[in-house]
Amino acid sequence: MDETTIAKGNRRVVAVDGPAGAGKGAVCRGAASRFGLAYLETGALYRAVGLISLRSGIGNPDALTRAAGEMPFAFRPVGGGEYAAFLGDEEVTLALRAEEVGQAGSRVAAMPGVRRALLGFQRRYGQDRDTILDGRDVGSVVWPDADLKIFLTASLEERAKRRALELQARGETVIVENLIARMLERDQRDAERDHAPMCAAPGAILVDTTSLTLAQSREKVNNLIAALFA
Ligand code: DC
């Protein structure tokens, strides 16, 4: 089946794209609990393929495309506005957050076959519920017919600072300069690839969170969603 023909139907879809560390996850989780939306962090799918690639040593695009199509991935709410990612019975939420898995996710995300293999899951997700998804190409490729498109961004330095705090809270040692260099490399790979590069989709509303707190970022996005549902 051509996955792009999976219809949106009557449900409303909110697409939130932007670079790593802009606060997409926290903002979307907040919106999902506030408005009762299904939520999918699409980056977790690419990270899961990246994790499979790192664990198995497979780097071949055809083999990874097959793995992406067959992987038993699930993304489930676990209460308190939190979500957990599973590969079969194994919970991989924490494993997926590792910096090297993000890099591996970004590398496999440049493979057109892998992207195609993950499209159906993204379009089916939420089924007939109002849904919010975050990623890099949700508004441009996954749901070009989304009801609301937001491009959430922040300066590279601010994003690196936030990611450093997150990693430090998990007990990881962080050298901020290295983090900035790795984030820049990932941003460039995600924005410059040939297939479905990260971009603000036509009609997307730009939300720059550089000088906003998380609460302020959430409020801004929630106001946009509230206007859609009014
Ligand atoms: O959002 P994230 O940092 O978890 O995403 C990990 C990588 O996955 C990111 O560097 C690029 C890729 N990705 C993508 O290409 N398209 C998406 N919709 C989401 C993520």
Side-chain angles (χ1 to χ4, degrees):
M1 178 175 40
D2 176 4
E3 309 285 15
T4 57
T5 61
I6 297 171
K8 183 161 80 63
N10 290 330
R11 66 175 166 146
R12 280 159 302 186
V13 169
V14 179
V16 180
D17 291 302
K24 300 188 300 290
V27 162
C28 288
R29 285 194 299 275
S33 30
R34 163 92 167 70
F35 297 97
L37 312 174
Y39 166 52
L40 176 63
E41 176 193 341
T42 66
L45 286 162
Y46 293 93
R47 285 172 181 262
V49 180
L51 182 67
I52 290 171
S53 167
L54 288 175
R55 282 178 173 177
S56 63
I58 298 173
N60 174 281
D62 290 335
L64 286 174
T65 296
R66 265 195 308 281
E70 290 166 1
M71 69 177 179
F73 181 86
F75 194 62
R76 301 193 190 114
V78 288
E82 290 306 312
Y83 288 76
F86 290 84
L87 273 176
D89 292 336
E90 183 190 358
E91 190 187 338
V92 289
T93 317
L94 263 187
L96 294 190
R97 293 209 181 116
E99 191 54 32
E100 54 164 344
V101 176
Q103 291 288 350
S106 167
R107 284 194 297 274
V108 302
M111 301 171 182
V114 169
R115 304 200 70 81
R116 239 184 346 263
L118 298 180
L119 193 56
F121 185 97
Q122 296 173 76
R123 288 187 66 100
R124 270 189 297 272
Y125 191 86
Q127 295 183 333
D128 46 11
R129 286 177 61 198
D130 293 336
T131 304
I132 187 165
L133 305 92
D134 75 47
R136 303 292 187 287
D137 65 338
V138 180
S140 54
V141 174
V142 181
W143 285 118
D145 46 353
D147 299 86
L148 173 64
K149 299 179 187 181
I150 295 170
F151 194 79
L152 199 77
T153 189
S155 73
L156 177 63
E157 288 70 24
E158 178 61 26
R159 291 187 286 117
K161 219 167 73 194
R162 291 177 193 167
R163 187 51 58 96
L165 288 175
E166 206 179 301
L167 293 172
Q168 278 158 353
R170 294 213 302 267
E172 294 184 33
T173 321
V174 182
I175 299 168
V176 177
E177 288 69 31
N178 293 355
L179 200 56
I180 289 181
R182 287 208 304 268
M183 276 184 128
L184 183 62
E185 184 194 339
R186 186 140 77 94
D187 284 353
Q188 283 173 341
R189 193 188 302 114
D190 293 344
E192 290 168 11
R193 66 184 176 222
D194 291 338
H195 298 272
M198 167 172 72
C199 66
I205 297 168
L206 184 77
V207 176
D208 187 334
T209 70
T210 307
S211 55
L212 301 183
T213 62
L214 174 57
Q216 289 168 330
S217 309
R218 279 183 159 158
E219 192 187 344
K220 233 180 176 160
V221 168
N222 284 351
N223 286 343
L224 293 171
I225 299 174
L228 173 71
F229 287 172

